[in-house]
Amino acid sequence: MSQRRLRRKAEPRGERVAGRARLPSLILLALLSMAVGAAAQAPLPAYLEKDSLRGGWYPWDPYQYQDYSRGLPVLTGFDVEIERALARIMGVEISLPEIGWNDHLAALAAGTADIAAGATESEARARYAYFSKPYRTETDVLILPRGMSSRYPFRSVEEMLATFSKEKFRLGVVAGFVYADSRVNAFVAKAARSGQIVAADSDAQNLRNLLAGVIDGFLADRMTATTTAWRRHEGSLIEVHPLHFSTDIRFMLSRATQTPQMLARLDNAIDELKQSGELRRIAYTYALPVLINQTLDREWFRILSFIGLVAFALSGVVLAYEGKYTVFGALILATLPAVGGGVVRDLLLQRSPLGIVRSPEALLGVFGTVLAGLLVIKVMSWSHGRLANRYLQARASAARLIEVFDAIGLAAFTVTGVVVALDASAQPLWLWGPVAAVLTSSFGGLLRDLFRNDRVIANLSGELYPEIAAVWGLALALFLRWEAERLRSNEIGLAVVVTILGAFATRMVAISLRAKGWRYA
């Protein structure tokens, strides 16, 4: 066989070998192409998704605000802390620059922002944003100048809007805000074209416009409006109309930058936040204290607290007179029951600064009571010989009056103790609420008796007194724990009134029946 023929036979064999060598490469390329195509269609795994979210905030107290209590501004609030907690659960970072609400919505639509809190769902917003599960509710109300609610007796949204149209009511709104009722939103959009709507950047601006006479009233979230007025010490100048309407509040995610998978992660994080109790803790810390402090920052409660303060101080004045103490001794015996319990409470709860340092008016009230008591005692001692019968009658009447005032103080200080425990974020509240109530209302009297070296300390072995503070303090603490998911200021106010009346009535019944504390043995 010639070499040329051998070469012809060898060439097809080489081509077959080369073809077989290229075959695995072609298969591998095909598999890689299929894998790349599948990966392009499949959602990104969690660790490849965006690890930061661009949010924002605007003044919307108590949901979003800057706290200056420590000298420097610190961004905080109910919604802000919820956003931060959700970011921790999702494993992402969140940035919260200050931005107007209307500008924030525009940024979501343009894709220059990723998330917004405190949003009401609407069809228009759904075009550019995904909506999360609800994480709280909102109740909208009409804010009017004090005394004007009787002029507008409407009881439904339809009647309210008809009144607005008929009377050319100048209505203040926040620009870009969607309210809790679609009929209200439709009216705002229509009336804006006629100049009847006055849009502002915030509820604070609406409040200024209302007090300046620029508008007749404004719509707002009830908690935000009352908190804004309270912070500005203008709560006595406005009132909330009885009509209200509510809706669910959600987060918005920009459709331009986020995916349904990120929305699912956000919804799962909201569920985890609720199930873990973290949402309730945030409400305890950032929303509930604001609401209950608004309730207590009323003239009637300040009067009750002052009456109780005077009664506690007078108990020390009477003991100082009977024990022939010096003026300084009288000051000590009056100060301990009046403010001593509060000081011990603040030290235990690590409250800074102490309440007596924050509001020295209580201490000045004690000093004034001691001086007034000294004057009364001198006058009564002078008239003792001349008007003995009237002196005895006056002394007996004064003793009964002090008992009534003391019962008022017990009730007011019970509420104050629970509120301070709530302010200090002492958990669980059902434990520290009653403890703080007992310390505030009773522990000062115990310190006074210890100072006097009294062999029979009334608060420990005598009358039914600290037990009343413990029981009613527990009742209020349990109610506030339940109310943390509702955050309705009218219900909180009613609970405070019921606690005060209940503690006062219990003490008066205990006095009339001469009831003693529950015996250990």
Side-chain angles (χ1 to χ4, degrees), residues 343-362:
V343 171
V344 173
R345 173 206 65 209
D346 290 350
L347 290 173
L348 178 66
L349 298 177
Q350 300 180 354
R351 192 183 186 202
S352 180
L354 301 180
I356 193 173
V357 177
R358 186 180 306 178
S359 302
E361 295 85 0

Side-chain angles (χ1 to χ4, degrees), residues 81-238:
E81 298 304 325
I82 289 176
E83 281 187 282
R84 289 170 174 165
L86 292 174
R88 287 194 298 271
I89 293 173
M90 297 167 64
V92 301
E93 295 182 359
I94 187 166
S95 59
L96 297 171
E98 184 172 0
I99 182 174
W101 179 242
N102 219 19
D103 294 335
H104 198 168
L105 297 179
L108 287 175
T112 55
D114 304 313
I115 188 170
T120 303
E121 188 172 10
S122 70
E123 292 183 6
R125 292 176 174 177
R127 298 190 187 99
Y128 59 83
Y130 299 109
F131 283 92
S132 73
K133 291 180 175 180
Y135 66 95
R136 63 174 176 84
T137 59
E138 175 181 288
T139 299
D140 291 340
V141 293
L142 177 65
I143 305 298
L144 297 167
R146 174 69 63 182
M148 294 299 292
S149 289
S150 58
R151 181 179 172 182
Y152 303 104
F154 43 74
R155 297 184 178 181
S156 67
V157 173
E158 292 88 349
E159 292 177 1
M160 178 182 71
L161 299 180
T163 301
F164 288 169
S165 298
K166 180 180 178 181
E167 300 192 10
K168 302 300 181 183
F169 189 94
R170 296 170 300 169
L171 182 64
V173 300
V174 174
F177 205 88
V178 173
Y179 293 93
D181 192 288
S182 58
R183 295 164 295 181
V184 172
N185 296 319
F187 173 84
V188 170
K190 180 180 179 181
R193 293 190 290 269
S194 64
Q196 193 175 344
I197 300 299
V198 180
D201 292 332
S202 66
D203 290 306
Q205 182 61 55
N206 274 327
L207 178 61
R208 289 192 290 269
N209 289 342
L210 178 68
L211 298 179
V214 176
I215 56 177
D216 300 312
F218 67 93
L219 294 172
D221 171 81
R222 177 166 54 190
M223 188 156 60
T224 301
T226 55
T227 301
T228 300
W230 173 61
R231 300 275 196 203
R232 295 168 59 88
H233 305 288
E234 295 173 339
S236 61
L237 303 179
I238 65 167

Side-chain angles (χ1 to χ4, degrees), residues 405-417:
F405 284 1
D406 183 84
I408 294 174
L410 169 67
F413 283 23
T414 295
V415 172
T416 300

Side-chain angles (χ1 to χ4, degrees), residues 245-264:
F245 37 100
S246 303
T247 189
D248 289 328
I249 296 299
R250 309 165 188 267
F251 288 101
M252 288 194 298
L253 290 178
S254 171
R255 289 181 179 270
T257 62
Q258 302 302 304
T259 64
Q261 289 75 27
M262 179 60 84
L263 178 63

